[in-house]
């Protein structure tokens, strides 16, 4: 990858001391020129560069980036771009989910939260469904359910827990995290499912 592209994707302005991650830059620290150059990467670049540029722009609330990222999604090209740093499995969709959530937050700040929420729904549902069988995490979504009342995902997350609870060898701490969510919003669902499975909270690293 050319150094210019690496810089566009990763550079932090000298004046910034609150983050060393480009995704977390505040709007006032992102130049118009940088956004325009990243948008140019969305055209006629290889899929990896398109993905990286689209993901970063989506974090920043940019519609061009979002449209490019969802186009990759719809063409089944969102896989194999990011490996989990410790366990090596494909973690691409965990990063995509985080980008979608930040995109919603930016749009919500500009009065477009409801429209964006509806636009994101089919993509986030698909990510949840893929997480039913793949090891990547989706816990970045849980804050929206607790803090922003995104109840539309609760039925899909119930199916998610039902799908993963018997497979700790694949899903590990994901099971604990989803149980923890439902203990806050629908504890009866958790206890009923655990009873059906002959399990207790202790089996999933909770203290009773």
């Amino acid at each position: 990858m050319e150094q210019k592209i690496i810089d566009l994707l990763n550079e932090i302005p000298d004046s910034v001391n609150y983050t060393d991650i480009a995704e977390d830059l505040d709007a006032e620290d992102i130049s118009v020129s940088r956004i325009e150059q990243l948008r140019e990467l969305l055209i006629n670049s290889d899929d990896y560069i398109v993905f990286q540029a689209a993901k970063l722009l989506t974090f920043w609330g940019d519609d061009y980036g979002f449209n490019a990222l969802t186009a990759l999604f719809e063409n089944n090209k969102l896989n194999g771009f990011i490996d989990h740093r410790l366990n090596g499995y494909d973690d691409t969709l965990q990063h995509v989910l985080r980008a979608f959530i930040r995109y919603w937050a930016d749009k919500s700040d500009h009065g477009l939260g409801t429209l964006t929420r509806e636009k994101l729904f089919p993509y986030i549902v698909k990510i949840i469904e893929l997480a039913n069988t793949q090891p990547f995490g989706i816990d970045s979504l849980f804050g929206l359910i607790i803090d922003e009342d995104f109840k539309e995902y609760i039925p899909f997350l119930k199916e998610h827990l039902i799908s993963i609870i018997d497979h700790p060898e694949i899903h590990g701490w994901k099971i604990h995290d989803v149980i923890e969510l439902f203990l806050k919003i629908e504890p009866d669902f958790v206890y009923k499912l655990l009873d059906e499975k002959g399990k207790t909270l202790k089996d999933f690293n909770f203290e009773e």
Side-chain angles (χ1 to χ4, degrees):
M1 191 184 298
E2 296 178 16
Q3 187 61 47
K4 178 184 177 182
I5 296 175
I6 294 172
D7 291 343
L8 282 172
L9 293 171
N10 298 286
E11 195 169 52
I12 304 297
D14 293 337
S15 59
V16 169
N17 59 13
Y18 57 83
T19 186
D20 57 1
I21 300 172
E23 293 169 349
D24 293 335
L25 286 172
D26 293 336
E28 59 266 26
D29 296 313
I30 305 166
S31 69
V32 173
S33 172
R34 185 174 184 179
I35 290 175
E36 289 174 346
Q37 291 178 77
L38 284 165
R39 287 174 177 174
E40 289 174 6
L41 293 179
L42 302 176
I43 305 167
N44 298 324
S45 297
D46 65 47
D47 287 344
Y48 178 76
I49 292 174
V50 171
F51 165 72
Q52 293 291 354
K55 176 171 67 73
L56 182 57
L57 287 168
T58 301
F59 264 95
W60 293 348
D62 183 78
D63 292 336
Y64 288 87
F66 175 78
N67 291 337
L69 194 58
T70 53
L72 289 172
F73 205 142
E74 289 163 3
N75 288 298
N76 296 314
K77 291 184 176 181
L78 280 182
N79 53 74
F81 291 131
I82 302 176
D83 292 336
H84 188 274
R85 62 188 179 85
L86 295 178
N87 299 316
Y89 58 75
D90 183 9
D91 208 26
T92 304
L93 288 176
Q94 186 267 138
H95 290 261
V96 171
L97 178 59
R98 288 178 52 236
F100 284 162
I101 292 168
R102 282 286 296 277
Y103 179 80
W104 171 82
D106 180 85
K107 296 301 182 186
S108 183
D109 288 343
H110 292 86
L112 298 171
T114 300
L115 179 64
T116 303
R117 182 170 171 171
E118 294 171 357
K119 187 163 64 170
L120 285 172
F121 179 75
Y123 300 109
I124 293 180
V125 167
K126 183 63 175 176
I127 289 174
I128 295 170
E129 290 173 346
L130 290 168
N132 291 348
T133 56
Q134 297 180 33
F136 67 87
I138 56 172
D139 55 297
S140 56
L141 177 63
F142 300 167
L144 291 184
I145 293 165
I146 297 293
D147 300 329
E148 303 293 343
D149 205 28
F150 275 43
K151 291 180 178 178
E152 62 267 36
Y153 296 109
I154 289 176
F156 300 97
L157 288 170
K158 286 182 176 179
E159 288 301 318
H160 176 63
L161 181 55
I162 292 167
S163 297
I164 68 176
I165 196 167
D166 290 327
H167 304 285
E169 73 284 359
I170 297 173
H171 301 288
W173 277 92
K174 283 170 58 179
I175 303 170
H176 174 280
D177 292 343
V178 185
I179 289 175
E180 188 173 50
L181 169 69
F182 277 106
L183 286 173
K184 295 174 182 176
I185 59 174
E186 286 194 35
D188 288 348
F189 168 71
V190 171
Y191 292 119
K192 182 173 183 293
L193 181 60
L194 290 174
D195 185 60
E196 289 173 357
K197 297 293 183 180
K199 302 285 187 181
T200 69
L201 289 174
K202 259 189 179 176
D203 293 312
F204 301 102
N205 299 294
F206 289 91
E207 294 183 5
E208 291 187 298

